[in-house]
Amino acid sequence: MKFRKHIRLKDYDYKTNGYYFVTLVTWNKLPLLKNCSGECKLAIKDLPKFISGLSIDWFVVMNDHIHIIFVLDDCNKTLGQVVRALKYNITKNVAVGLPSNQIKANSNSPATIWQWNYYEHIIRNEKALSKIREYIQNNPDIEQLNWDELERGIIYGEKENSCSG
């Protein structure tokens, strides 16, 4: 049996009001989103219509991944449920017409175009929010964020304005 590393904070309530940076990556990093930018953007923009207390702050759709900042404000879903809904909505639009070797399917789960997990980062201050927005807008393929630097404001008591809603 394959071991999967748990990357979520153990005792954190992922329904907590706040800003969350999420990256979704396609299965085997295939460029499955290359020709669906419009459909993907529509699926992202429409998500808050179906999930109470959710808004989208910022996002970009690349060929093989999506960067997005979700804002939960008394949301009726957890971050994981929001991500699942987004993956489902995009998959049902994108997977149509793809060759079967580009869609991950097995007996334990429905067909998907996504890697099993997703990356998330809880945004804790205005400085981090600004840097992440800049990262998403400018160089999502190239630039790397220094997560320690973004969190330094909280760790060392130089707390900026909170982004927790």
Side-chain angles (χ1 to χ4, degrees):
M1 176 187 263
K2 191 175 183 179
F3 174 76
R4 290 188 171 151
K5 184 179 173 184
H6 295 282
I7 59 174
R8 306 288 163 250
L9 295 176
K10 186 176 180 182
D11 294 320
Y12 187 81
D13 178 5
Y14 282 93
K15 261 184 138 174
T16 301
N17 291 346
Y19 289 67
Y20 298 85
F21 173 55
V22 172
T23 299
L24 308 173
V25 180
T26 60
W27 180 61
N28 285 342
K29 297 185 180 178
L30 293 169
L32 303 175
L33 307 176
K34 185 176 184 176
N35 298 320
C36 79
S37 181
E39 293 91 346
C40 292
K41 289 177 183 177
L42 187 60
I44 292 168
K45 289 178 181 178
D46 281 352
L47 199 58
K49 293 178 186 176
F50 306 104
I51 300 178
S52 175
L54 173 71
S55 59
I56 308 298
D57 180 74
W58 211 270
F59 72 90
V60 66
V61 177
M62 304 301 292
N63 289 344
D64 63 353
H65 66 282
I66 295 174
H67 292 302
I68 187 166
I69 299 174
F70 291 114
V71 183
L72 304 184
D73 187 13
D74 295 326
C75 189
N76 62 354
K77 304 285 183 197
T78 65
L79 181 63
Q81 291 169 323
V82 169
V83 169
R84 269 191 300 281
L86 181 59
K87 283 182 171 184
Y88 173 78
N89 287 339
I90 292 175
T91 298
K92 72 180 181 184
N93 290 315
V94 174
V96 175
L98 285 177
S100 61
N101 67 341
Q102 292 185 348
I103 301 172
K104 179 184 167 200
N106 62 44
S107 60
N108 297 331
S109 65
T112 185
I113 62 166
W114 302 105
Q115 287 187 4
W116 173 76
N117 218 335
Y118 61 93
Y119 172 81
E120 57 82 9
H121 177 78
I122 302 162
I123 302 173
R124 294 182 172 93
N125 61 59
E126 292 291 335
K127 182 178 179 181
L129 178 61
S130 177
K131 283 286 195 188
I132 292 169
R133 284 176 179 157
E134 183 179 320
Y135 165 73
I136 290 173
Q137 183 176 348
N138 294 333
N139 299 340
D141 288 289
I142 301 165
E143 185 179 335
Q144 295 295 314
L145 288 173
N146 181 338
W147 297 108
D148 291 336
E149 181 182 304
L150 291 176
E151 296 302 321
R152 191 172 297 134
I154 289 181
I155 295 170
Y156 296 110
E158 303 165 8
K159 185 174 178 181
E160 306 249 344
N161 294 333
S162 174
C163 292
S164 60

